[in-house]
Amino acid sequence: MAKTSSRVTIDGREITLTNLAKVMYPETGTTKGDVVDYYRRVAAWFVGHAARRPATRKRWVDGVGTADAPGDAFFHKNLDATATPSWVHTVVLRHRDGESRYPMIDDEATLVWLAQLASLELHVPQWRVGPRGAHRKPDRLVLDLDPGEGAGLPECVAVARWCKELLDGMDLTSVPVTSGSKGIHLYAGLDGRHTTAQVTAMAKALAAELQAAHPDVVVTSMRRALRRGRVFIDFSQNDGHKTTVAPYSLRGRLRPYVALPRRWEELTDDLTQLEYPAVLDRLARDGDPMDVLLPREQRPPASAGGDRLSRYRSMRDASKTPEPVPSAQPAAATGSSFVIQEHHARRLHHDFRLEHEGVLVSWALPKGPPTDPRRNHLAVMTEDHPLEYGAFEGTIPPGQYGAGRVSIWDAGTYECEKWVDGKEVIATLHGRDGGGLGGTATFALIHTGTDGDEKQWLIHRMDAVKRVTSPPSAPAAAAELPRIEPMLATLASVDDLAGREWVFETKWDGYRAVAYVCRGRASLRSRNGRDLTETYPELAEVGELLGDHCAVLDGEIVALDSAGRSRFEALQQHGARRARAHLMVFDVLYLDGRSLVREPYESRRATLESLRLSGGFVHVPVVLGSDPDAAVRVSKELQLEGVIAKTRDGVYQPGVRARTWLKIKNQRMQEVIVVGWRPGAGSRAGTIGSLLLAVGTDTGLTYVGRVGTGFNQRSLADAQARLSRLERRMPAVRDVPAPEARDAVWVRPSEVGEVTFAEWTSTGRLRHPVWRGWRPDKSPDDVMRADG
């Protein structure tokens, strides 16, 4: 919407749109036209949750401004009767200071009209207006989880899950909404039988119970001094006179974040607020997580936003561009075509397109397809294109989207090695004679975007090394393979990288494992020699993938979240429906009768990639390149644990903590020894409230504090069962403060766990520790204070 003004007709209602080029979010360049376009496209989902609710508008007439010069915002309740279109549904509400007329967002046209008035934020109550204007009883309850100074979304996630447990116990369906600001709004559906006063009292009781159970994390007082490091549960928004920002509303922050309904499985410690482009993509792909709170007849049709070419068509005028612009939704297809087009637009780039589910899934490559496996290129995901685009060559006229000359650089068919929507694609392309690829090439595309940006990917060209054939001298079984201790990395910082040439890999968050594989059979062992084969039966797949080869592989056993990131907490729940294990193989130490440990890293890596270990549970992750700043930045943006830096010429040193492998962490973690536990209260009555922790020092064990957050019902039950067998009369440490030792149950110091934490206090305690899980791969002798 680049024009400064236009007239649109929506359901027969004409709206004049003005000042469309005005920048509303300077930090991102988002214009008023972008805002109007977002609300028009999100209306299919927005209206269902906002309809028949009096809307309070928060307007930024001149935009949100900048951090140094924030824009002025105005709350508007009362409508100007002379300027309001007759088709806008309104309701008059009586307040102490008089009456006000409010709009109700009952249709797309009203939503677009409000956007035209620079109403960035739209707030509504938890009750609806009846057909005759009556104030109905609430149909949903809301809890606003607001982190105080020193707390953030991870603490809100923990509190949200505790809230869910209580709401589940009341048979109330709940949906979390990242607020687009700092915290989380938690909605629960109601049957409309209770008054606002009764619902407010119920919400207050829920908040009070959570505060009693988790006083270190939860607070219900608005006093800022009490909220430091805690999550404030604001239950007051259930009052009939108060409102909450509407689901799918933009926020008046420096960036165009959205109050976004989420699925419960998304609520992990790496949760982020998302911006509006990601919201539209998610809705079109996955639908609305909050529609479970709507009556079935009010839910948008499954096809709303489901036309994969709707965005493509909205950006093109078939009468003005020679590009193919089909009018119908494509039928799902099973073809395997690809095309790479050279696009002389404002800037020369290549368009990389793979046929998938009836469309060409597309990425723009600003620097073209990579030719060197050691150099990754940026790939920006664009809108899906029609299959007909695979044959398109021509010139897009000036003034049209993508104006410039398009020619086919190469085209043909591809073999799909792996396709995980929104995460990773690996494809082997077979180009045409004389094409730019020069024959066959394998590429991996990896999603790297965060903070609402689902467009940012990397494209990596995989080495074209032929698969190694197995010599007759190979061992006959995995048990006959040489036992090799894993090489260990040294904790370091970016400043320690000077003077050598490094390659960077993801630091995976799981259990280190060495896989011994031969003739289709596999055995996995942890760093301390524990046999993990039966614990993770799905990882037997590595034997199937290697076929007749015999190899020793180094890797990490992980559990992955919905974004493809390793989640140590989820690995604790292995065996549950959503906690399957994956093996990330990052090195090969022995292959078919030949030791590779004295070969340089680059040679071992080429051999590993030639084995093509890509399956449902076994993967060879791509490297993050050779630029330390870029690798660390991507790792932080993805909220990964960190990176591993490896020298290109470094050999593998079994059992050695070497300086040729450096681990650079993004968050502080500490392995801990559990020396006791304290009973819980409230919803945790009868079980564990917190664990008492220690670490090793040169003079023995020392107490480092207690941890009570990061648990769910399952992990609490597991801890209770695990520790009940280890009880002892006296503590294994002597420096536990009397208030924390008073009701403690002491245990034998044999179990190792791990926590994240903010910092070490001046007294040697962990500040704000959060439980991550048990470390069965570590012994208490391994646990020392990590100051890095």
Side-chain angles (χ1 to χ4, degrees):
M1 304 185 71
K3 299 179 180 179
T4 59
S5 64
S6 68
R7 299 177 71 86
V8 296
T9 301
I10 301 174
D11 294 333
R13 293 157 181 170
E14 193 172 81
I15 306 171
T16 299
L17 305 176
T18 60
N19 299 319
L20 296 178
K22 178 184 287 186
V23 175
M24 304 301 290
Y25 294 87
E27 188 164 310
T28 58
T30 303
T31 65
K32 184 179 175 183
D34 295 327
V35 169
V36 172
D37 182 60
Y38 166 71
Y39 275 126
R40 185 171 186 179
R41 294 169 63 190
V42 84
W45 299 277
F46 189 111
V47 170
H49 302 296
R52 305 303 297 170
R53 301 185 196 271
T56 298
R57 295 91 65 213
K58 193 172 183 181
R59 300 173 61 199
W60 279 263
V61 177
D62 295 316
V64 300
T66 64
D68 295 330
D72 293 326
F74 307 90
F75 265 109
H76 279 196
K77 297 181 179 180
N78 199 20
L79 285 171
D80 183 343
T82 61
T84 302
S86 59
W87 42 262
V88 173
H89 296 172
T90 64
V91 63
V92 175
L93 300 181
R94 186 180 300 278
H95 302 293
R96 292 179 181 175
D97 56 352
E99 294 182 341
S100 293
R101 182 174 295 276
Y102 291 79
M104 293 184 291
I105 308 172
D106 292 349
D107 49 45
E108 177 184 338
T110 300
L111 185 58
V112 171
W113 175 70
L114 291 172
Q116 153 62 22
L117 299 178
S119 305
L120 299 185
E121 288 190 9
L122 299 163
H123 295 243
V124 295
Q126 310 316 313
W127 50 272
R128 297 182 190 263
V129 173
R132 295 184 177 87
H135 182 315
R136 286 187 166 178
K137 293 177 181 178
D139 60 349
R140 62 192 189 196
L141 171 150
V142 66
L143 296 171
D144 181 2
L145 311 183
D146 185 10
E149 182 182 351
L153 274 178
E155 288 77 17
C156 290
V157 165
V159 175
R161 292 196 173 279
W162 296 331
C163 291
K164 182 179 186 296
E165 292 176 8
L166 296 180
L167 293 168
D168 285 349
M170 301 167 66
D171 292 327
L172 296 179
T173 300
S174 58
V175 177
V177 174
T178 43
S179 69
S181 180
K182 294 187 298 181
I184 293 174
H185 295 159
L186 185 60
Y187 288 88
L190 302 175
D191 58 12
R193 298 181 181 179
H194 301 89
T195 66
T196 55
Q198 291 172 323
V199 173
T200 301
M202 179 170 63
K204 182 178 181 180
L206 283 170
E209 182 170 352
L210 288 170
Q211 179 178 252
H214 310 284
D216 294 342
V217 184
V218 175
V219 64
T220 59
S221 170
M222 296 187 69
R223 291 177 56 192
R224 291 197 175 275
L226 298 177
R227 293 167 60 181
R228 189 181 302 274
R230 295 178 172 86
V231 174
F232 169 50
I233 300 183
D234 184 359
F235 55 83
S236 69
Q237 294 177 32
N238 296 282
D239 185 290
H241 300 290
K242 293 195 174 183
T243 61
T244 306
V245 67
Y248 297 112
S249 172
L250 287 165
R251 300 305 304 267
R253 310 288 289 179
L254 293 180
R255 301 179 69 88
Y257 293 117
V258 172
L260 177 62
R262 310 297 283 263
R263 302 188 190 282
W264 276 108
E265 55 266 31
E266 294 183 71
L267 262 66
T268 60
D269 285 350
D270 53 7
L271 185 70
T272 60
Q273 306 286 350
L274 296 184
E275 297 175 26
Y276 76 91
V279 173
L280 294 170
D281 290 343
R282 288 164 54 94
L283 283 168
R285 184 179 66 241
D286 303 327
D288 175 19
M290 199 166 170
D291 66 4
V292 296
L293 301 189
L294 294 174
R296 189 168 300 276
E297 65 275 9
Q298 294 181 16
R299 299 178 188 177
S303 61
D307 182 349
R308 295 190 61 166
L309 293 182
S310 60
R311 186 177 178 196
Y312 173 90
R313 281 192 292 271
S314 71
M315 302 165 75
R316 291 163 176 83
D317 186 337
S319 67
K320 297 179 180 179
T321 178
E323 299 166 283
V325 186
S327 59
Q329 156 75 5
T334 58
S336 57
S337 66
F338 85 88
V339 65
I340 302 175
Q341 288 158 320
E342 191 174 276
H343 193 167
H344 292 262
R346 184 173 55 182
R347 293 182 180 177
L348 172 64
H349 65 276
H350 288 69
D351 293 312
F352 187 97
R353 313 190 196 281
L354 301 176
E355 180 178 350
H356 185 66
E357 296 182 349
V359 297
L360 291 174
V361 179
S362 301
W363 293 262
L365 310 182
K367 294 186 178 180
T371 58
D372 184 347
R374 295 172 298 179
R375 299 288 184 267
N376 297 331
H377 285 184
L378 173 67
V380 180
M381 179 167 266
T382 62
E383 72 277 8
D384 293 334
H385 282 52
L387 295 181
E388 297 92 325
Y389 214 98
F392 173 67
E393 290 186 291
T395 299
I396 303 171
Q400 300 304 301
Y401 176 77
R405 182 167 53 85
V406 176
S407 60
I408 294 177
W409 187 77
D410 208 340
T413 61
Y414 76 95
E415 298 170 25
C416 184
E417 308 271 355
K418 184 177 184 180
W419 194 298
V420 181
D421 283 334
K423 300 176 185 177
E424 183 180 6
V425 175
I426 300 176
T428 298
L429 278 57
H430 303 285
R432 61 189 182 184
D433 292 341
L437 288 175
T440 296
T442 300
F443 294 95
L445 291 130
I446 302 96
H447 175 238
T448 63
T450 56
D451 291 335
D453 191 350
E454 297 192 352
K455 297 179 180 180
Q456 299 300 308
W457 294 59
L458 289 177
I459 184 168
H460 167 75
R461 182 161 184 158
M462 302 177 72
D463 279 315
V465 181
K466 293 183 179 180
R467 192 178 179 95
V468 182
T469 57
S470 176
S473 60
E480 300 177 25
L481 293 169
R483 287 291 179 261
I484 302 176
E485 289 187 61
M487 179 176 171
L488 306 177
T490 300
L491 188 63
S493 69
V494 175
D495 295 336
D496 297 312
L497 299 174
R500 304 196 67 166
E501 193 173 358
W502 301 88
V503 174
F504 296 89
E505 299 179 354
T506 297
K507 187 179 189 306
W508 297 102
D509 198 5
Y511 298 152
R512 187 74 174 278
V514 177
Y516 299 89
V517 190
C518 194
R519 301 285 191 269
R521 299 176 65 86
S523 171
L524 289 94
R525 293 193 175 272
S526 70
R527 175 181 155 191
N528 59 6
R530 179 185 170 200
D531 191 338
L532 304 174
T533 311
E534 294 185 2
T535 305
Y536 305 103
E538 60 267 44
L539 301 186
E541 180 187 51
V542 67
E544 302 170 11
L545 294 172
L546 274 177
D548 292 334
H549 291 286
C550 293
V552 179
L553 306 171
D554 192 1
E556 190 98 354
I557 297 174
V558 302
L560 302 177
D561 66 10
S562 59
R565 293 180 282 252
S566 55
R567 304 298 304 156
F568 184 77
E569 299 89 335
L571 194 59
Q572 306 288 302
Q573 303 171 17
H574 178 261
R577 184 165 58 92
R578 293 186 180 273
R580 305 301 298 274
H582 295 255
L583 179 63
M584 299 296 178
V585 182
F586 50 73
D587 218 326
V588 54
L589 316 180
Y590 175 97
L591 182 65
D592 296 332
R594 183 168 63 95
S595 173
L596 306 180
V597 296
R598 303 310 299 171
E599 293 191 8
Y601 165 85
E602 284 192 314
S603 175
R604 300 196 312 275
R605 179 73 194 192
T607 301
L608 176 62
E609 292 187 354
S610 75
L611 296 174
R612 301 285 180 87
L613 295 175
S614 179
F617 302 103
V618 178
H619 320 276
V620 176
V622 301
V623 298
L624 298 177
S626 57
D627 182 337
D629 293 331
V632 171
R633 183 178 67 252
V634 168
S635 174
K636 288 181 177 179
E637 288 174 350
L638 290 173
Q639 298 188 353
L640 302 176
E641 184 185 352
V643 299
I644 297 289
K646 300 181 179 181
T647 56
R648 290 185 181 278
D649 57 356
V651 299
Y652 193 93
Q653 303 177 59
V656 174
R657 188 175 297 281
R659 297 291 303 180
T660 53
W661 282 16
L662 301 180
K663 54 184 176 182
I664 302 170
K665 293 186 176 183
N666 293 332
Q667 60 177 330
R668 307 193 73 173
M669 287 179 285
Q670 174 66 53
E671 293 168 0
V672 290
I673 302 167
V674 178
V675 296
W677 58 275
R678 297 183 65 199
S683 63
R684 283 201 191 175
T687 185
I688 291 174
S690 60
L691 301 179
L692 306 180
L693 311 174
V695 300
T697 66
D698 293 338
T699 58
L701 291 183
T702 186
Y703 181 69
V704 293
R706 58 194 177 99
V707 59
T709 62
F711 298 96
N712 56 30
Q713 289 182 330
R714 180 189 178 114
S715 60
L716 285 172
D718 174 59
Q720 188 102 47
R722 184 186 294 256
L723 299 178
S724 64
R725 304 188 298 266
L726 305 174
E727 291 185 10
R728 55 183 283 170
R729 293 184 58 190
M730 299 299 293
V733 287
R734 298 183 178 181
D735 53 345
V736 183
E740 298 181 21
R742 186 173 297 119
D743 57 354
V745 178
W746 304 113
V747 299
R748 189 166 69 246
S750 59
E751 297 298 297
V752 176
E754 189 169 81
V755 297
T756 60
F757 67 106
E759 61 181 352
W760 289 104
T761 69
S762 59
T763 57
R765 301 289 191 258
L766 296 163
R767 186 184 301 279
H768 302 313
V770 178
W771 181 254
R772 301 187 72 233
W774 299 101
R775 296 300 311 233
D777 57 329
K778 300 293 178 70
S779 70
D781 292 339
D782 296 326
V783 180
M784 302 292 286
R785 171 169 164 167
D787 291 312

